[in-house]
């Protein structure tokens, strides 16, 4: 046969080393070896504190049991008496070992000798078991004493292979010598020694396996602890990074908020300047100039197709050259036969809407006066249709109405927070879109700041002037009384009623009779004209239509109640419930 190549031999050797290393839990690093040894010493000391006193008691009990009284010696054979006397002497000789083990474990656990205490105790008691087995040969042929000590030491001590070899080797040598000297029968002697060898091999293997199990357990605990520390460090680092990112987001949000505030301030300031310039331009400019497609206002907004016209001016589709976005451009001509107060109201709308940041309120982009004397206002171009057009298809289900009302009232609440009242909530001023949040609230041209009572008399609506659309006016608007955000809530209630019933709340001829109905006639219960409306929704609409503003909910309260109702009805988002718009409708009439 040829020799095995060296590479194959080395590969086989590495395989067995790897197998043993994996099976034994892997080789410990120097630091882990020290920690494992310290843990083993502490465990062994705790066990010695219990076992050493217990073994001392065992020795004393054996001495008492095997001590032969003087009266019994005459009736006892010489062989039996020798067995008893030898056992007593052996147990008496082992008592100092038990005392030594207990003393070190209790009083000197940190001494250098304490680290070897488990080996000394195990070797000593294995020798004790070997001697007991040899003495037993005087009377018996078994090796039970040595067997018991072998298995007990394997379980309690769990020595590594190298330590187990010398401990069990010492015990084996003593028991073989003892059996050889004290067992007269050669056949029994051979059988006993073979039994001892079997017991020693099994005990040594058991001790080694338990030692491996302890090392694997130690390695796993250390790995888990290390992973836990690493996870804690990762969590700490993640929390730190999240905190830094949140702080950065907050900082940037504050910067954006400051920029928005500056932009709104600039729009309001510019609106004031434009308002004062209108009178001068109206006197200086004559003729009937019109904008044409391709014209550019303010070197930024390119005029496109004309979308609509009214008494105050026109609405054009356009493009913002700064961003490339599509925009709607409202234009007023200073030479039109419109009262100056209406022009100021147009300029004021920009300042008011600029203060409101809500996705359901049309976004104001810019307001300015061109070099050609065109007063213009740029806002986002909406793709959708008005609620007025949508109503032609008939009543809505209550879940859709509730979701619509939630969004509408939430937008009004945002305006009220900034001190702005819309004052003309009606179907023509609500644009339905197929993107979140499903609608846009338009035309704050009649809006009034809560604090405008301190403004100059020429810049605010004259006292006693009735403004709004008769079918959707609150009683306090009809009576030209102080108007608050509760007026918008009343108008919203009228809209919700109409969406459910497919008709107005008050259907009478003549604007004056409609207006007086708002003041003096109790509105009907929506359930009397629309079947299937829940009591909860009907009660909310009735609350919104209360004649006394103080009895109506705020817009925020109404939005919350409508949201809860819509959620209970499992209503999807408003934009998901609306049918696809038939065309892009941005035609707005100027008042």
């Amino acid at each position: 046969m040829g020799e095995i190549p060296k590479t194959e031999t080395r590969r086989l050797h590495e395989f067995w080393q790897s197998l043993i290393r994996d099976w034994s839990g892997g080789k410990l690093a120097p630091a882990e070896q020290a920690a494992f040894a310290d843990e083993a010493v502490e465990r062994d000391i705790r066990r010695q504190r219990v076992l050493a006193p217990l073994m001392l008691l065992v020795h004393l009990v054996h001495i008492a049991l095997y001590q032969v009284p003087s009266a019994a010696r005459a009736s006892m054979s010489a062989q039996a008496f020798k067995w008893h006397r030898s056992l007593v002497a052996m147990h008496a000789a082992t008592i100092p070992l038990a005392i030594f083990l207990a003393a070190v474990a209790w009083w000197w656990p940190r001494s250098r000798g304490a680290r070897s205490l488990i080996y000394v105790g195990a070797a000593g008691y294995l020798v004790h078991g070997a001697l007991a087995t040899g003495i037993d040969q005087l009377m018996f042929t078994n090796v039970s004493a040595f067997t018991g000590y072998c298995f007990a030491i394997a379980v309690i001590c769990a020595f590594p292979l190298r330590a187990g070899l010398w401990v069990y080797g010492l015990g084996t040598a003593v028991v073989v010598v003892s059996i050889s000297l004290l067992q007269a029968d050669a056949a029994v002697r051979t059988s006993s020694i073979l039994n001892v060898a079997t017991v020693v091999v099994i005990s040594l293997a058991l001790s080694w396996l338990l030692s491996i199990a302890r090392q694997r357990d130690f390695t796993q605990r250390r790995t888990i602890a290390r992973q836990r520390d690493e996870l804690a460090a990762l969590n700490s680092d993640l929390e730190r990074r999240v905190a830094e990112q949140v702080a950065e987001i907050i900082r940037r949000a504050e910067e954006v908020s400051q920029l928005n505030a500056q932009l709104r301030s600039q729009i309001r300031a510019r609106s004031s300047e434009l308002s004062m310039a209108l009178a001068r331009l109206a006197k200086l400019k004559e003729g009937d100039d019109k904008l044409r497609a391709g014209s550019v206002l303010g070197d930024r907004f390119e005029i496109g197709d004309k979308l609509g016209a009214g008494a105050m001016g026109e609405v054009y589709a356009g493009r913002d050259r700064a961003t490339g976005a599509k925009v709607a451009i409202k234009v007023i001509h200073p030479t039109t036969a419109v009262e100056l107060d209406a022009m100021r109201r147009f300029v004021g709308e920009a300042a008011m809407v600029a203060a409101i940041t809500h996705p359901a309120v049309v976004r104001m982009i810019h307001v300015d006066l061109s070099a050609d004397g065109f007063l213009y206002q740029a806002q986002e171009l909406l793709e959708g249709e008005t609620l007025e057009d949508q109503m032609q298809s008939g009543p809505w289900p209550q879940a859709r109405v509730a979701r619509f009302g939630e969004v509408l009232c939430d937008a009004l609440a945002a305006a009220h927070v900034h001190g702005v009242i819309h004052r003309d909530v009606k179907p023509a001023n609500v644009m339905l879109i197929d993107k979140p949040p499903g609608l846009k609230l338009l035309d704050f041209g009649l809006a009034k700041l809560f604090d405008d009572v301190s403004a100059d008399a020429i810049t605010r609506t004259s006292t006693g002037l009735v403004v709004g659309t008769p079918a959707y006016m609150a009683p306090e608007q009809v009576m030209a009384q102080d108007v608050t955000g509760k007026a918008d809530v009343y108008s919203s209630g009228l809209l919700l009623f109409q969406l459910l019933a497919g008709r107005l709340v008050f259907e009478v001829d003549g604007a004056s009779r409609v207006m007086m109905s708002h003041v003096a006639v109790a509105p009907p219960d929506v359930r009397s004209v629309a079947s299937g409306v829940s009591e909860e929704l009907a009660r909310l609409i009735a609350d919104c239509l209360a004649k006394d503003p103080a009895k109506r909910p705020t817009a925020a309260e109404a939005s919350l109640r409508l949201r809860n109702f819509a959620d209970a009805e499992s209503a999807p988002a408003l934009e998901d419930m609306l049918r696809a718009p038939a065309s892009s409708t941005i035609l707005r009439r100027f008042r």
Side-chain angles (χ1 to χ4, degrees), residues 196-400:
V196 164
T198 302
V199 169
V200 167
V201 170
I202 295 175
S203 300
L204 183 60
L206 177 61
S207 178
W208 185 29
L209 290 174
L210 291 176
S211 174
I212 291 173
R214 286 182 179 177
Q215 181 174 324
R216 290 180 66 88
D217 175 69
F218 173 81
T219 303
Q220 289 174 353
R221 284 189 283 111
R222 296 276 289 192
T223 301
I224 292 172
R226 183 173 61 254
Q227 291 175 344
R228 183 173 60 247
D229 294 341
E230 291 174 354
L231 181 60
L234 288 174
N235 286 337
S236 177
D237 184 62
L238 180 61
E239 290 176 357
R240 178 184 58 79
R241 291 185 180 183
V242 169
E244 291 176 353
Q245 291 176 356
V246 169
E248 179 67 15
I249 291 173
I250 292 175
R251 184 183 66 79
R252 291 185 180 275
E254 291 175 350
E255 292 178 355
V256 171
S257 178
Q258 292 174 359
L259 290 174
N260 286 336
Q262 293 174 5
L263 178 60
R264 292 193 295 269
S265 176
Q266 292 172 1
I267 290 177
R268 285 193 290 266
R270 187 59 175 163
S271 299
S272 177
E273 295 173 4
L274 296 176
S275 181
M276 292 184 292
L278 283 174
R280 296 193 302 269
L281 289 171
K283 295 178 181 178
L284 296 175
K285 194 167 182 67
E286 296 181 356
D288 191 23
D289 294 342
K290 300 294 181 182
L291 289 174
R292 293 179 176 82
S295 301
V296 179
L297 295 177
D299 294 327
R300 176 177 176 181
F301 298 99
E302 183 177 335
I303 298 297
D305 295 335
K306 184 175 181 180
L307 300 178
M312 291 175 62
E314 293 87 26
V315 179
Y316 297 89
R319 186 176 67 88
D320 186 352
R321 287 184 168 183
T323 63
K326 295 179 180 180
V327 294
I329 304 173
K330 293 183 179 181
V331 180
I332 286 185
H333 302 293
T335 56
T336 55
V338 181
E339 295 182 1
L340 189 59
D341 185 61
M343 298 183 187
R344 291 194 178 96
R345 192 186 313 137
F346 172 84
V347 175
E349 179 181 352
M352 295 172 185
V353 177
I356 306 169
T357 55
H358 190 280
V361 176
V362 64
R363 182 169 58 88
M364 190 64 58
I365 298 175
H366 193 68
V367 61
D368 208 342
L369 186 67
S370 71
D372 298 330
F374 293 109
L375 176 62
Y376 66 93
Q377 171 185 307
Q379 63 185 46
E380 62 177 320
L381 181 65
L382 302 177
E383 298 289 336
E385 61 182 344
T386 65
L387 180 62
E388 187 175 46
D389 296 331
Q390 179 74 226
M391 282 181 170
Q392 303 302 320
S393 61
W396 287 11
Q398 64 176 5
R400 184 194 295 181

Side-chain angles (χ1 to χ4, degrees), residues 256-587:
V256 171
S257 178
Q258 292 174 359
L259 290 174
N260 286 336
Q262 293 174 5
L263 178 60
R264 292 193 295 269
S265 176
Q266 292 172 1
I267 290 177
R268 285 193 290 266
R270 187 59 175 163
S271 299
S272 177
E273 295 173 4
L274 296 176
S275 181
M276 292 184 292
L278 283 174
R280 296 193 302 269
L281 289 171
K283 295 178 181 178
L284 296 175
K285 194 167 182 67
E286 296 181 356
D288 191 23
D289 294 342
K290 300 294 181 182
L291 289 174
R292 293 179 176 82
S295 301
V296 179
L297 295 177
D299 294 327
R300 176 177 176 181
F301 298 99
E302 183 177 335
I303 298 297
D305 295 335
K306 184 175 181 180
L307 300 178
M312 291 175 62
E314 293 87 26
V315 179
Y316 297 89
R319 186 176 67 88
D320 186 352
R321 287 184 168 183
T323 63
K326 295 179 180 180
V327 294
I329 304 173
K330 293 183 179 181
V331 180
I332 286 185
H333 302 293
T335 56
T336 55
V338 181
E339 295 182 1
L340 189 59
D341 185 61
M343 298 183 187
R344 291 194 178 96
R345 192 186 313 137
F346 172 84
V347 175
E349 179 181 352
M352 295 172 185
V353 177
I356 306 169
T357 55
H358 190 280
V361 176
V362 64
R363 182 169 58 88
M364 190 64 58
I365 298 175
H366 193 68
V367 61
D368 208 342
L369 186 67
S370 71
D372 298 330
F374 293 109
L375 176 62
Y376 66 93
Q377 171 185 307
Q379 63 185 46
E380 62 177 320
L381 181 65
L382 302 177
E383 298 289 336
E385 61 182 344
T386 65
L387 180 62
E388 187 175 46
D389 296 331
Q390 179 74 226
M391 282 181 170
Q392 303 302 320
S393 61
W396 287 11
Q398 64 176 5
R400 184 194 295 181
V401 172
R403 191 65 80 192
F404 167 85
E406 172 206 338
V407 179
L408 176 64
C409 291
D410 192 53
L412 290 170
H416 297 166
V417 166
H418 290 279
V420 179
I421 311 168
H422 191 285
R423 299 182 65 147
D424 196 22
V425 179
K426 60 183 179 180
N429 282 338
V430 179
M431 180 74 71
L432 301 177
I433 58 177
D434 59 358
K435 298 177 181 178
L439 68 82
K440 290 283 186 177
L441 185 57
L442 309 174
D443 280 357
F444 278 79
L446 291 180
K448 177 183 179 184
L449 293 175
F450 283 164
D451 58 357
D452 69 353
V453 293
S454 61
D456 188 88
I458 197 172
T459 65
R460 66 174 185 262
T461 304
S462 302
T463 303
L465 179 61
V466 177
V467 290
T469 303
Y472 301 96
M473 291 174 64
E476 57 269 30
Q477 286 179 276
V478 174
M479 301 300 292
Q481 297 173 346
D482 291 337
V483 175
T484 66
K486 298 293 185 71
D488 291 340
V489 174
Y490 183 91
S491 301
S492 300
L494 295 172
L495 276 184
L496 298 180
F497 185 103
Q498 186 176 359
L499 287 172
L500 289 169
R503 47 154 283 190
L504 295 170
V505 174
F506 300 113
E507 291 192 329
V508 292
D509 295 332
S512 60
R513 296 182 62 186
V514 172
M515 294 168 69
M516 290 311 300
S517 296
H518 287 302
V519 175
V521 179
D525 190 320
V526 67
R527 290 172 294 180
S528 65
V529 292
S531 59
V533 178
S534 71
E535 180 182 356
E536 181 181 358
L537 185 57
R539 184 168 59 251
L540 172 59
I541 293 175
D543 292 342
C544 292
L545 296 180
K547 302 297 183 184
D548 184 357
K551 295 181 179 180
R552 300 173 203 152
T554 64
E557 292 168 347
S559 177
L560 178 59
R561 290 171 64 179
L562 287 163
R563 181 191 311 156
N564 292 337
F565 180 83
D567 290 344
E569 293 285 314
S570 300
L574 178 61
E575 64 272 13
D576 295 334
M577 291 189 289
L578 299 174
R579 62 183 174 85
S583 61
S584 175
T585 306
I586 192 62
L587 306 182

